Amino acid sequence: MSRRFFMKAGATGLVAPIIARGADEAKSAAQAAPARGDARAGIPVELSINGQPHRLTVDPRTTLLDALREQVGLTGSKKGCDHGQCGACTVHADGKRILSCLTLAAAAEGREITTIEGIASPSGSLHPMQQAFIDHDGFQCGYCTPGQIMSAVACINEGHAGSEAEIREYMSGNLCRCAAYPNIVAAILQAKTRMES
């Protein structure tokens, strides 16, 4: 009998009971799991989006952005960074701007959610901010535009559009990689006069 054989045999003899005990513990844990329920199975959520009720079943970890895009089919709000840093996912909750990529769908229950699809009039005419973005060429690739428009509407409604400097400050959470910032500011100034009249 060699030393190597002795070591292998000894290690196997010691490890086998530990492996068997681990398997028994895993089996016990698996049997106990159904009693607690599977959180990933989904929870019911009722959302009011653009004035329409929506009943969804979502994973508790589902963001409002993912629910809007994947379950409701409203793809105007964009997923830019998914970390709340670019503003492309901006929507309104009870008239206030929020980042839908950082808001859980379940947390939006009971609030009136407005997306870019919901700001035009029922007759189909554009919101003054949408028209101003067109008039001033406030977009280039257009990816950030829905979030920019939603944030710009809120910026005016919050009373933060008194000057170009103030607009730039309160729109700083919305990034435009095409750098259309001067045109965006001009669009907000134009829309401000129409929205306030």
Side-chain angles (χ1 to χ4, degrees), residues 20-32:
R21 187 175 26 181
D24 290 342
E25 289 173 2
K27 185 177 178 183
S28 298
Q31 290 171 347

Side-chain angles (χ1 to χ4, degrees), residues 49-52 74 76-77 90-93 95-97 112-134 144-157 191 195:
I49 304 167
N50 300 328
Q52 299 294 319
L74 297 174
S77 304
T90 304
V91 299
H92 295 171
K96 307 253 185 240
R97 55 183 152 176
E112 179 57 43
I113 305 301
T114 306
T115 69
I116 190 69
E117 293 91 346
I119 66 168
S121 71
S123 66
S125 60
L126 295 177
H127 186 281
M129 189 64 72
Q130 291 172 306
Q131 187 60 55
F133 265 67
I134 292 170
C144 73
T145 304
Q148 294 276 3
I149 289 174
M150 296 304 288
S151 197
V153 169
C155 182
I156 291 170
N157 291 340
M195 288 174 62

Side-chain angles (χ1 to χ4, degrees), residues 37-183:
D38 187 357
R40 294 170 292 174
I43 58 171
V45 176
E46 292 187 25
L47 299 176
S48 177
I49 304 167
N50 300 328
Q52 299 294 319
H54 293 271
R55 290 183 180 182
L56 310 173
T57 300
V58 299
D59 182 302
R61 300 164 294 181
T62 300
T63 64
L64 177 58
L65 177 62
D66 287 338
L68 289 170
R69 292 181 60 83
E70 297 170 13
Q71 292 192 261
V72 183
L74 297 174
T75 57
S77 304
K78 304 297 187 214
K79 184 179 282 194
C81 66
D82 211 20
H83 294 290
Q85 297 174 345
C86 72
C89 68
T90 304
V91 299
H92 295 171
D94 297 330
K96 307 253 185 240
R97 55 183 152 176
I98 63 167
L99 298 170
S100 60
C101 77
L102 295 183
T103 305
L104 292 175
E109 194 167 28
R111 304 175 78 184
E112 179 57 43
I113 305 301
T114 306
T115 69
I116 190 69
E117 293 91 346
I119 66 168
S121 71
S123 66
S125 60
L126 295 177
H127 186 281
M129 189 64 72
Q130 291 172 306
Q131 187 60 55
F133 265 67
I134 292 170
D135 293 345
H136 290 276
D137 195 21
F139 51 89
Q140 289 181 35
C141 79
Y143 195 84
C144 73
T145 304
Q148 294 276 3
I149 289 174
M150 296 304 288
S151 197
V153 169
C155 182
I156 291 170
N157 291 340
E158 292 164 3
H160 298 304
S163 67
E164 286 191 19
E166 189 176 27
I167 290 169
R168 288 178 187 278
E169 175 66 27
Y170 284 90
M171 289 293 293
S172 63
N174 290 78
L175 303 180
C176 174
R177 291 180 180 172
C178 302
Y181 298 115
N183 301 1

